[in-house]
Amino acid sequence: MTNVAKRTFDTLVIGAGGGGLRAALQLADAECHVAVVSKVFPTRSHTVAAQGGINAALGNVSPDNWHWHMYDTVKGSDYLGDQDAIEYMCRSAAQLVYELEHAGVPFSRLDNGKIYQRPFGGQSREFGKSQATRTCAAADRTGHALLHALYQQNLRAKTHFFDEFYAVDLLKDADGYVLGVLAFEIETGEPLVIEARTTLLATGGAARIFQSSTNALINTGDGLGMTLRAGIPLQDMEFFQFHPTGIAGVGNLMSEAARGEGGYLLNAAGERFMERYAPNARDLASRDVVSRAIITEIREGRGCGERRDHVLLKLDHLGADVIKQRLPGIRELAMRFAHIDPIERPVPVFPTAHYMMGGIPTDRHGRVVAPAMFGPEEAVPGLYAVGECACVSVHGANRLGGNSLLDILVFGRAAGNHILEYLRDNPYPRETPPDALEVPLQRLRRWERPGKGETVYRIREEMRSVMERHCGVFRSGDLMTEGIRKVEELHDRLQHAVIHDRSKVFNTARIEALELENMMEIALAAIISAQARQESRGAHSREDFPERDDDHWLKHSLYFMEGRRMDYKPVRLKPLTAETFAPKARSY
Amino acid sequence: MRFSIYRYNPETDAKPYMRDYQLDIDASGKMLLDAILLLKAQDETLSVRSSCREGVCGSDALNINGRNGLACITPLSDLKEPIELRPLPGVPVIRDLVVDLSQFYHQYRAIRPYLVNQDPEPEIERLQAPEQRAELDGLYECILCACCSTACPSFWWNPDKFLGPAALLQAYRFLADSRDQATNERLDYLEDPYRLFRCHTIMNCVDVCPKGLNPALAIGKIRSLLVKRTI
Ligand code: SF4
Ligand code: SF4
Ligand code: FES
């Protein structure tokens, strides 16, 4: 292991967003020696930006139950979600929200003192009959409230934090066990091996591969890159969600809560156009449906503004009180980034890359699973993944608003529990083989290469614009074939790029280079998976294959970095106890 | 636009210096962070933190033309040129605009920033009336950006003893929570000639908080809780 410093823990979590911190809390409270590695101070993680809320059938406002929530989630996923995992998630939801409340999350309250809930898109009562009110909220800062409370609880539980450490690659032995990670301290540039019997990836999404994105700058999919390089495939990477209401031109998110509280969309004619696309749910149809409707309105010439390139989100009819009380964060963002006070005027919005439904394939215990000797879903020993970086899959082809915070909590806890079992069954650490560090260290050293070459910045911006143009809301075979060629070319150019910052101390150029390596692999995974899927399902809409095709495509995609090849595996249509929701035509 | 930016790399620079930059940019509608990221594309050795780019994560607090604020929500067009960017004052510099916030985080941890409630956990949520919940508004929204504490003279002089406005605001966030039962222990900890009472109500913290929070008011409320407790 040469001269790289080493630390050893029972268990390691990479990423300090809600999923990582929920798992860490479970483990620390069970008196495990747990380390959390994060490239940013924990409360800077992207969970902090989640606005609208978290779905749980508490029934505080109107009668509700988990089975309706499950139906909505399966339907929202366009039947690509695994129904065992979805049942598990929806059944656990209420308890997890109560736990959060006990942990101190300052939920907004109803007059009777219970947790405030609001209507959200794609949520129904009685299997599609009427709108449900299911999304638990702390004003429109639910993610902030949740992340801070989870961090605070981890401080109480004495979780060990490696703040501002960047994880480079997983360490594996010849038997395929994952033994920890090579990271480095950003402040000093010093590499560090962190050994643990289990490693949990909770590194978040990668919607920064697109030019216009609601995501934080740090959402570069580092865990996905590590997974691919470890020889494990990524699942369903063609499914990226475009949120209908990013602020036009800048991309900052206007939460679905805005429409949940009664806001709606208008085209240039002042028409409430969602009535045509989704006669029942209207503005609270599922996100994929609303995003396509907006693009269609704009394409057909009914966009707003001088360039007719956006639509408007109208809120002023809600009145100043509702906006100030329920949507203060939205208002702040609109005033800052669009120079519009939604109390007075509607906000220009446009569909913006927001969420990655696909990711690292896992089972409902958070175990990473990959095809091996005996089937498509064998556990990779010692490796777990939760949250946006993982694909359980509860979101299938399209995620419902309010289900992502739920996902991170439910599977953060589930992974924590399963890790405890694994640690019990595997009480002794395995030896890290001496050569395990070679490749990861090489990856670091590669960026010390002197000489001339293109900058990381330039290649990154080009990649983002290619992905935006060739793999956006509407897709077609030819456009994507060209896109693949372009990303492959950028991938090659990246091999020759150089950075000019030679310092070890807080070298952000080096971080950005390593992040771009990850993003480039993810962009390839996304566009190659998208080109292969010849149907339209959920967020993936092909103009050349406009229909869903269950006969051929009711299956999960798996993308392997080696050979850039695709494989497929069946959708788990059988829930744990409930009856299967068989695929049906999907309308709102 | 013209910028003058504090540069310091401990590996190569004997001492910090200010470096001038020029940037061709249409300022309208842009934030300072947009400009910094473009400057960084020209000179990648410039180190700065950023993440959410919308004022919710607290990463990019800087001293901007002499005043602490978040680069990502500071409109470029509001700034006088040359725009002078320095690291947050009163804390050690790691490199360029990146500061070491260990002391700040230490103070946050010191106030036990988590809900304490010894009662058996109910099967559902603990109830809290909307008015009780409203007591937390203006407190829980803190993003730990450190703009306030690093603008506070008392924090500069006694960083090891005075808790600083951010930690005190969080201390009050838990005192104000109807669900928290550690009021006495919390007040015991704060009743100290330094931890709380070094605040001289200079109000810098209120001036600079990018989230519009009011640590001085929270400090005042803790004081009155302490007074009330003695009578
Ligand atoms: S009011 Fe108190 S805490 Fe705020 S800046 Fe002044 S001395 Fe510091
Ligand atoms: S009180 Fe305001 S200035 Fe101080 S850390 Fe919190 S958000 Fe930042
Ligand atoms: S980048 Fe998050 S607060 Fe500015």
Side-chain angles (χ1 to χ4, degrees), chain A residues 5 7 112 168 227 273 507:
Chain A
R7 300 280 296 271
N112 63 9
V168 180
T227 303
F273 60 87
N507 184 335

Side-chain angles (χ1 to χ4, degrees), chain A residues 314-435:
Chain A
K314 181 175 150 63
L315 293 168
D316 49 77
H317 58 283
L318 300 179
D321 285 352
V322 170
I323 294 178
K324 283 185 186 159
Q325 229 193 27
R326 301 291 186 213
L327 304 167
I330 296 294
R331 178 168 181 241
E332 195 180 314
L333 285 174
M335 301 206 330
R336 284 207 165 107
F337 288 92
H339 310 289
I340 283 173
D341 184 348
I343 292 177
E344 286 155 14
R345 283 195 295 140
V347 185
V349 292
F350 187 79
T352 306
H354 180 59
Y355 186 86
M356 179 180 79
M357 271 73 72
I360 306 161
T362 71
D363 65 12
R364 65 172 192 280
H365 308 292
R367 283 188 295 189
V368 174
V369 292
M373 309 238 270
F374 307 106
E377 299 196 313
E378 276 184 54
V380 178
L383 187 62
Y384 292 76
V386 296
E388 191 171 343
C389 75
C391 182
V392 185
S393 146
V394 283
H395 309 304
N398 171 65
R399 173 173 72 75
L400 296 185
N403 267 358
S404 61
L405 290 183
L406 181 59
D407 170 8
I408 63 181
L409 291 175
V410 169
F411 295 104
R413 182 185 62 165
N417 284 334
H418 200 278
I419 288 170
L420 290 173
E421 257 175 58
Y422 182 96
L423 293 176
R424 223 171 297 134
D425 296 345
N426 296 271
Y428 307 110
R430 298 167 70 92
E431 212 43 62
T432 307
D435 55 354

